[in-house]
Amino acid sequence: LGRPRREPVRRPRLAVVRPQHRVEVGATEPERAHRGPALARRPRPRPVEEARRSLGWPESGRFILLPGSRANERKNPLLFDSVVQELRRHVPDLTPVSLEGFSREQVVDVMNAVDVTLMTSIFEGSPVAAKESLACMTPVVSVPVGDMPEFLAGLPGCAIAPRGARPLADAVLAAFESGRDMALRRRAEQYSGARSAERTIALYQDVVGKRAA
C-alpha cells in the first residue's frame, strides 16, 4: 500500500484594511472580521458644568485631555506637556488631565468635562478615545497619526497640526473658541462598530469573491 496522501496545509491569508484591522480570508463566516471600535455603548454628551461637578472639578477654567496614560510612551506625553506650556502663555488657568485612575463611567465624564482632547501620539491605528470624545461633542486636535486626518476632516473645532508645540497650541486655541457642535457626534456615529463591521465584511466578501473567480 502506498503512503496516504497529505493535503497541503492552507494558511489563512490576510487582507489588510488598516494596520490594526485584519480580515482572515480563510475564515468561514464574515463574523470573524474585525468589528472595529466598540461604540455600541457610545458615550453621551453631558453639560460641561454637570460633568465637572460630578468629578469634583472647578466649573470655570479650561481643561485639556491627554487621551491615555502618561506612562504610555506611545502617547507622547512630553509633546503634550510642551503644548500645555505653550498654551499657558495665553490661558494661565489651563488644567491638563489624563485618563489614569478613572473608572469607565468617570472617563465619560472626563471627556464631557474637558474643552479639548489633544492627541500627540507617536503611533495610533484608529483610536477609540478620539471617537468617544467626538461622541461627547468634545473637539479633538491631533498630530497626523493613524486615521485621524480622515476622521477629523471638516469638523468644526477639530484640526490636524504638525508635531510642534506652537502649531498644536494654535489649533487648541481655535478649538477653545469653537465650542461644541452636533456634527462631532454625527461623525462618531459614522465610525460606530456596526458600520465599521459592515465595511470590513464587504471587503472580506470582495476578497473571497476574487479568490474564487
Side-chain angles (χ1 to χ4, degrees), residues 39-107:
L39 289 181
R41 299 179 180 176
R42 282 187 298 275
R44 300 196 65 83
R46 188 179 184 187
V48 173
E49 296 78 9
E50 182 180 309
R52 290 183 181 181
R53 282 196 299 270
S54 70
L55 293 165
W57 294 4
E59 293 183 26
S60 60
R62 294 290 193 183
F63 287 79
I64 185 170
L65 173 65
L66 172 70
S69 167
R70 295 186 59 85
N72 185 349
E73 294 182 359
R74 194 183 75 178
K75 298 298 181 182
N76 204 352
L78 292 179
L79 177 55
F80 179 86
D81 291 343
S82 296
V83 178
V84 170
Q85 185 176 358
E86 180 70 22
L87 283 166
R88 279 183 170 151
R89 297 171 54 194
H90 309 277
V91 188
D93 62 349
L94 179 66
T95 301
V97 296
S98 54
L99 293 180
E100 294 102 328
F102 293 106
S103 68
R104 176 59 191 155
E105 292 73 19
Q106 288 175 321
V107 166

